Amino acid sequence: MVARAARAADLARLDAAVSDCFACPRLVRWREEVARTRRAAFRDQEYWGRPVPGFGTGDARIAILGLAPAAHGGNRTGRIFTGDRSGDVLFAALHRAGLANQPTSVAADDGLALRDLRIFSAVRCAPPDNKPTPEERDTCAPWLHREVTLIRPTLRVVVALGAFAWAAWWPVLRQVYGQRPPSPRPAFGHGAHWSGTDAPDLLGCYHVSQQNTFTGRLTPEMLDDVFGQAKQLAGVD
Ligand code: SF4
């Protein structure tokens, strides 16, 4: 797995290799079972049912790091944050920020394009209850590390959606940037900001899950503030 990730010479090859990964038995079973049983509203659709690669530009100055694909979102459509309520909230905000050409993300062929932005997750397969095990997180990490390596020349800011993504960044710092992570680790919080030397700034943002957006814990204004700060730090107009 580590060797397969390291061999990917560019993002297209990396995306293809990620999509063909079967390294985590529990997650492979789950993604395929969800794709087979489907949700009633999507019964007539063919689910992707595979790992979900990153999405966005190869010269991104900003990256959004999420937890994992949603069972009936990314695992159905094959594109991260696509086809579910979390994506509705996220892409509406990215469109307001000028980082996406449209405010919706419903299917892989819907014409969505990002500007200066790449989106990926710490774990590439949908996990039961949105909870990957530590072993699955570690098994999947080489894909993330390779993806960050490939966009490293332009990458300036990473927005971590939630505590899991925030924690997943520190191994990246070690593996990709050759730096010892800060000790103690800075705590995750909405609005948290860690700034290192010769590495991207890290911003914390509550996850765009329904649990957060339906309850008002995360509002559109809060997302606008985070992406405004990300653009400013990254030098994006
Ligand atoms: S979670 Fe990552 S490492 Fe595990 S099977 Fe999916 S893509 Fe492969």
Side-chain angles (χ1 to χ4, degrees), residues 149-224:
T149 299
L150 290 169
I151 62 169
R152 178 178 172 172
T154 54
L155 185 63
R156 298 292 173 266
V157 178
V158 175
V159 178
L161 295 181
F164 188 97
W166 179 267
W169 179 251
W170 308 119
V172 178
L173 199 60
R174 189 188 299 277
Q175 293 295 328
V176 178
Y177 293 88
Q179 295 187 17
R180 186 177 299 181
S183 181
R185 305 279 191 272
F188 170 77
H190 184 83
H193 179 192
W194 177 80
S195 188
T197 309
D198 298 328
D201 282 43
L202 181 65
L203 295 178
C205 179
Y206 288 147
H207 195 278
V208 287
S209 65
Q210 291 189 45
Q211 205 180 349
N212 286 335
T213 56
F214 278 19
T215 57
R217 186 168 189 245
L218 178 64
T219 65
E221 293 74 23
M222 290 164 72
L223 280 170
D224 291 348

Side-chain angles (χ1 to χ4, degrees), residues 1 18-25 27-28 31 50-52 122-126 136-137 139-143:
M1 243 282 303
V18 169
S19 303
D20 196 35
C21 181
F22 292 81
C24 304
L27 298 188
V28 171
R31 76 192 191 200
R50 302 182 74 106
V52 180
V123 171
R124 308 288 164 121
C125 291
E136 289 160 352
R137 176 201 59 203
T139 302
C140 205
W143 295 124

Side-chain angles (χ1 to χ4, degrees), residues 55 76-77 79-85 87-88 90-92 102-108 110 112 114:
F55 173 63
R76 174 173 61 90
T77 61
R79 196 173 66 194
I80 195 76
F81 284 114
T82 296
D84 63 9
R85 301 301 290 268
D88 291 346
L90 178 63
F91 285 101
Q102 58 189 43
T104 56
S105 177
V106 295
D110 63 5
L112 177 67
L114 305 183

Side-chain angles (χ1 to χ4, degrees), residues 5 11 13 37 42-43 46 78 98 111 119 122 130 157 168 202 213:
L11 287 172
R13 288 184 176 89
T37 53
F42 307 124
R43 189 152 290 145
E46 184 152 347
I119 305 176
N130 288 324
V157 178
L202 181 65
T213 56

Side-chain angles (χ1 to χ4, degrees), residues 48-79:
W48 171 247
R50 302 182 74 106
V52 180
F55 173 63
T57 60
D59 58 354
R61 282 182 280 181
I62 301 170
I64 295 176
L65 175 58
L67 194 171
H72 301 279
N75 189 57
R76 174 173 61 90
T77 61
R79 196 173 66 194

